[in-house]
Structures are given as structure tokens and as C-alpha cells.
């Protein structure tokens, strides 16, 4: 069957360990979402090694997305890319691929804020309109909502991100990141077999949280060898998730929004989903969680946010397409929201 002529955006995600390419049409149908993850042999993400992975994977992931979408490069109307925040070498690799495509195909380039993309794909896939969002991933932890022309941060981590906290603990415990089972998911599985709540630091300061003391205490308890790993995973989750839930609840009470959206890689966690569902219900708000495929970093969210930006007048000239390593969510324009 011949498809009607449509406009397409190809989005490139490369802020950290994932290289993703997604394709969205201008109506918000996601027609491809391909990715390749860099899995370090040991330790956390090494930015230069991750960037090398992205450069090597780019060709294959691009082809996979275009093939899946049945779209030829010449049919693309815009190229969007994750411009920040993220790891410098990784961001630069994605931006280089995006610039090359944009100049070869002679189509506009659109730099997208990665955090906003997590929210917009959550809204697109769940039907949320104006939520309080808890965005929790390997590199970010924040409670945010739209107010007076921008996404505002109501609370955030003062040190490490929630996903990072889970990942570091998992590595200390000797767990391995396997394809399809991120370290946070391995913790989740073990936590379901834990039932003893071990007291650990619970640090909420105003609307912000701190997770590094919790991580140190959990790791120390692990190394002492007196607690079951299952109980420690359970206790780590209960403490960390309660902290983000407390702050989300206060943001919900303050903003009086009618929806709560959970997004980012850690959004795949059932226990966290259950906690946020409870506070949403208590405040008469709808609870929405992004589908697993779009929870972790992905190209589709960049493609869709690229459509929103471009159709509302945003293009990124080549000279402004540099990586913005610390691009905070409230600094990004969102002309599509009113
Ligand atoms: P992202 O940074 O958005 O790509 O998400 C990756 C983060 O999500 C990593 O820290 C993972 O360990 C974490 N993650 C993925 N699945 C789960 C899960 N089921 N429970 C908790 N964390 C998870
Ligand atoms: Mg990732």
C-alpha cells in the first residue's frame, strides 16, 4: 500500500551509554526506535569509550531505524539531536552524526533538551497533558512541572542520580549488566525477595534529596556481610524511592496539577510505580508511567520533541549546535506549551 506523503523527523540520542535513532512523523506516530547500548566490561560509563561505541554503532542503528520505518533518507524533513545535558564526548558524537545528515540532506537541524524529551515522550505515549513529572534515570533525578512558560524544577538530587545510586550499589554487589537487564532491574528482582527493612540514611532537604550517604551506608552494610543482599536491595529501594515520592507529593500538593508522570530509565521499576500511584490517588490525580520502551534513553523521544520544537519555530543553526553539557531544563524554550 502506498503511504500518504508525510513529514518525518529523525532523532538521535547519545547523551550517555545509549546510542538511539528514532523516527516520528509530524503527527506523533513513532515509526522506528532503534538503539545500541554501551555496556562497560567493568565499572561505570567511561565517556570516551561510550563515545567510541556510539561512533561505531551509528551506521547500523541509523540503517535499522530507516529500514524499520520504511523511510528513505531523502524523505526526512528534519534531523533532531540530544544537545544536552550529558557527557561531552557522547553528546559530540551524536551531534556530529546529526550535522552530517543535516548538511548532506540539506534539511534543518534541531537541538533538543534531553530532559524535556523524556517528559514529552511520556506525555505523547500516556496522554498526559500537564503533569508533575518525576524524571529518574542514570544521570538525572528531578521533579518538574510546567509553569509560566517553562518547565520548572521543584526538587532534584543534590548529588548522585537515583539510577546511578542503584547501579553503583549493584556493581559493588557483583551484579552484572546484561543486555535486557539493566543493573536497576537486577536490584528490583532481588528486592522482591527481601522483607527485612534495614535502617539507612533518609535525606530530604527542603524539596531536594541526597543519595550519596544512602549509597555509602548500603555499601558499607554489604561489605560487612551481615545482611542478606535481598534485604539490602529491598531497603535501598524503599529508602531511595520514598525520598523521591515525598518530594513528588509535595510538588503535586503545591502545583495542584491533575496528573503525575513517571519517566526515565528507573520508571520501569514496579515498586517505584506503586509508590507514585499511591500519592497520585491520594491527591485525586491520574498516575501515568511511560511504556518501558520509551523509559530509558531513546531516539524516538528526541524525534518527537524535535517535531514539537521545529513546528513551533525552533531550528538550530550549525554554529549553535555545540554540545551543552549542563543544559538545565528551565533554560530551554518550550514554545509549544502555552
Ligand atoms: P536512562 O539513564 O534513562 O537510560 O536509564 C538507565 C537507568 O535506569 C540505569 O540506572 C538503570 O539501572 C535504570 N533502570 C532500568 N530499569 C530499571 C528498573 N527496573 N528498576 C530500577 N532502575 C532501572
Ligand atoms: Mg542510558
Amino acid at each position: 500500500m502506498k503511504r500518504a506523503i508525510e513529514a518525518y523527523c529523525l532523532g538521535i540520542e547519545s547523551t550517555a551509554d545509549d546510542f538511539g535513532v528514532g523516527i516520528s512523523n509530524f503527527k506523533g506516530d513513532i515509526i522506528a526506535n532503534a538503539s545500541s547500548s554501551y555496556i562497560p566490561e567493568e565499572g561505570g560509563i567511561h565517556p570516551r569509550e561510550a563515545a567510541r561505541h556510539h561512533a561505531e554503532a551509528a551506521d547500523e542503528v541509523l540503517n535499522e531505524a530507516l529500514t524499520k520505518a520504511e523511510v528513505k533518507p531523502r524523505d526526512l524533513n528534519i534531523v533532531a539531536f540530544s544537545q544536552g545535558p550529558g557527557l561531552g564526548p557522547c553528546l559530540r558524537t551524536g551531534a556530529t552524526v546529526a550535522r552530517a545528515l543535516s548538511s548532506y540532506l540539506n534539511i534543518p537541524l534541531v537541538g533538543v533538551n534531553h530532559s524535556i524529551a523524556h517528559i514529552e515522550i511520556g506525555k505523547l505515549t500516556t496522554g498526559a497533558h500537564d503533569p508533575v513529572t518525576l524524571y529518574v534515570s542514570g544521570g538525572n533525578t528531578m521533579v518538574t512541572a510546567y509553569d509560566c512558560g517553562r518547565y520548572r524544577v521543584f526538587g532534584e538530587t543534590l548529588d548522585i542520580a537515583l539510577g546511578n545510586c542503584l547501579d553503583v550499589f549493584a556493581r559493588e554487589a557483583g551484579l552484572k549488566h546484561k543486555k535486557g537487564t539493566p543493573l536497576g532491574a537486577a536490584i528490583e528482582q532481588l528486592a522482591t525477595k527481601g522483607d527485612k527493612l534495614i535502617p539507612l540514611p533518609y535525606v530530604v532537604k527542603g524539596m531536594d534529596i541526597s543519595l550519596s550517604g544512602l549509597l555509602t551506608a548500603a555499601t558499607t552494610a554489604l561489605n560487612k556481610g551481615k545482611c542478606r543482599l535481598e534485604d539490602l536491595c529491598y531497603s535501598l529501594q524503599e529508602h531511595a524511592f520514598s525520598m523521591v515520592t515525598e518530594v513528588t507529593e509535595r510538588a503535586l500538593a503545591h502545583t495542584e496539577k491533575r496528573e503525575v508522570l513517571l519517566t526515565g530509565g528507573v520508571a520501569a521499576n514496579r515498586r517505584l510505580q506503586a509508590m507514585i500511584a499511591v500519592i497520585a490517588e491520594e491527591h485525586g490525580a491520574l498516575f501515568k508511567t511511560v511504556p518501558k520502551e520509551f523509559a530509558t534513553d531513546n531516539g524516538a523521544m528526541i524525534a518527537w520533541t524535535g517535531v514539537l520544537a521545529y513546528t513551533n519555530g525552533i531550528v538550530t543553526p550549525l554554529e549553535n549546535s555545540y554540545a551543552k553539557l549542563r543544559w538545565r531544563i528551565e533554560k530551554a524554550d518550550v514554545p509549544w506549551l502555552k
Side-chain angles (χ1 to χ4, degrees):
M1 198 176 71
K2 210 166 161 22
R3 220 163 29 198
I5 294 171
E6 293 206 54
Y8 299 104
C9 174
L10 180 141
I12 297 176
E13 159 59 32
S14 73
T15 53
D17 56 338
D18 302 296
F19 184 84
V21 176
I23 299 176
S24 167
N25 65 18
F26 278 28
K27 291 181 291 193
D29 300 311
I30 304 297
I31 52 176
N33 192 25
S35 85
S36 170
S37 297
Y38 153 77
I39 301 183
E41 277 177 23
E42 231 170 276
I45 304 174
H46 188 301
R48 255 185 298 119
E49 289 304 312
R52 189 204 305 267
H53 160 271
H54 297 349
E56 285 170 6
D59 188 32
E60 201 178 314
V61 181
L62 269 171
N63 273 321
E64 189 185 330
L66 289 163
T67 308
K68 169 87 202 311
E70 296 179 24
V71 166
K72 298 208 169 28
R74 292 271 164 222
D75 298 333
L76 297 171
N77 299 76
I78 46 171
V79 177
F81 70 104
S82 232
Q83 197 171 2
L87 304 172
C90 302
L91 286 169
R92 282 180 211 112
T93 306
T96 304
V97 176
R99 281 186 213 110
L101 275 174
S102 154
S103 68
Y104 181 68
L105 299 169
N106 197 21
I107 55 176
L109 190 62
V110 180
V112 164
N113 179 287
H114 173 88
S115 308
I116 289 181
H118 271 290
I119 300 173
E120 294 302 342
I121 196 72
K123 285 159 65 181
L124 176 75
T125 54
T126 65
H129 294 290
D130 181 24
V132 164
T133 300
L134 172 60
Y135 163 35
V136 274
S137 68
N140 293 281
T141 295
M142 66 175 81
V143 178
T144 170
Y146 176 79
D147 188 38
C148 295
R150 301 205 159 248
Y151 279 113
R152 310 280 171 182
V153 177
F154 286 83
E156 61 192 318
T157 179
L158 295 169
D159 40 51
I160 54 173
L162 180 52
N164 189 230
C165 175
L166 299 174
D167 293 350
V168 172
F169 180 79
R171 280 197 292 273
E172 281 289 327
L175 304 176
K176 293 268 180 258
H177 181 167
K178 297 195 198 95
K179 203 164 191 272
T181 311
L183 290 170
I187 299 253
E188 177 177 20
Q189 283 168 14
L190 285 165
T192 58
K193 297 183 199 112
D195 50 16
K196 185 167 169 239
L197 190 66
I198 299 155
L200 294 169
Y202 182 97
V203 187
V204 176
K205 298 183 180 185
M207 286 293 284
D208 296 326
I209 65 163
S210 163
L211 292 164
S212 62
L214 168 64
L215 173 60
T216 305
T219 309
T220 306
L222 173 77
N223 292 335
K224 280 191 182 152
K226 295 210 173 109
C227 305
R228 284 170 68 226
L229 179 58
E230 291 83 350
D231 290 334
L232 272 172
C233 290
Y234 168 68
S235 306
L236 179 64
Q237 282 199 169
E238 292 303 300
H239 283 77
F241 294 173
S242 299
M243 287 185 218
V244 290
T245 303
E246 180 186 330
V247 176
T248 308
E249 178 173 21
R250 272 196 266 135
L252 189 58
H254 174 75
T255 58
E256 298 182 343
K257 302 258 184 201
R258 313 308 310 154
E259 299 160 320
V260 186
L261 173 67
L262 180 58
T263 192
V266 188
N269 189 292
R270 298 275 166 109
R271 178 64 185 134
L272 180 59
Q273 291 174 9
M275 283 194 193
I276 301 294
V278 169
I279 55 139
E281 194 182 345
E282 278 176 2
H283 288 264
L286 286 173
F287 169 61
K288 313 263 185 178
T289 188
V290 68
K292 205 168 162 190
E293 182 191 356
F294 302 111
T296 200
D297 295 340
N298 63 88
M301 68 183 193
I302 305 301
W304 171 235
T305 312
V307 170
L308 293 173
Y310 178 73
T311 52
N312 286 275
I314 295 182
V315 288
T316 307
L318 213 55
E319 63 273 21
N320 292 344
S321 66
Y322 51 85
K324 298 181 178 178
L325 279 60
R326 296 182 202 286
W327 192 12
R328 284 184 63 87
I329 198 168
E330 65 271 61
K331 298 276 183 207
D333 292 333
V334 286
W336 59 91
L337 298 177
K338 277 161 206 109

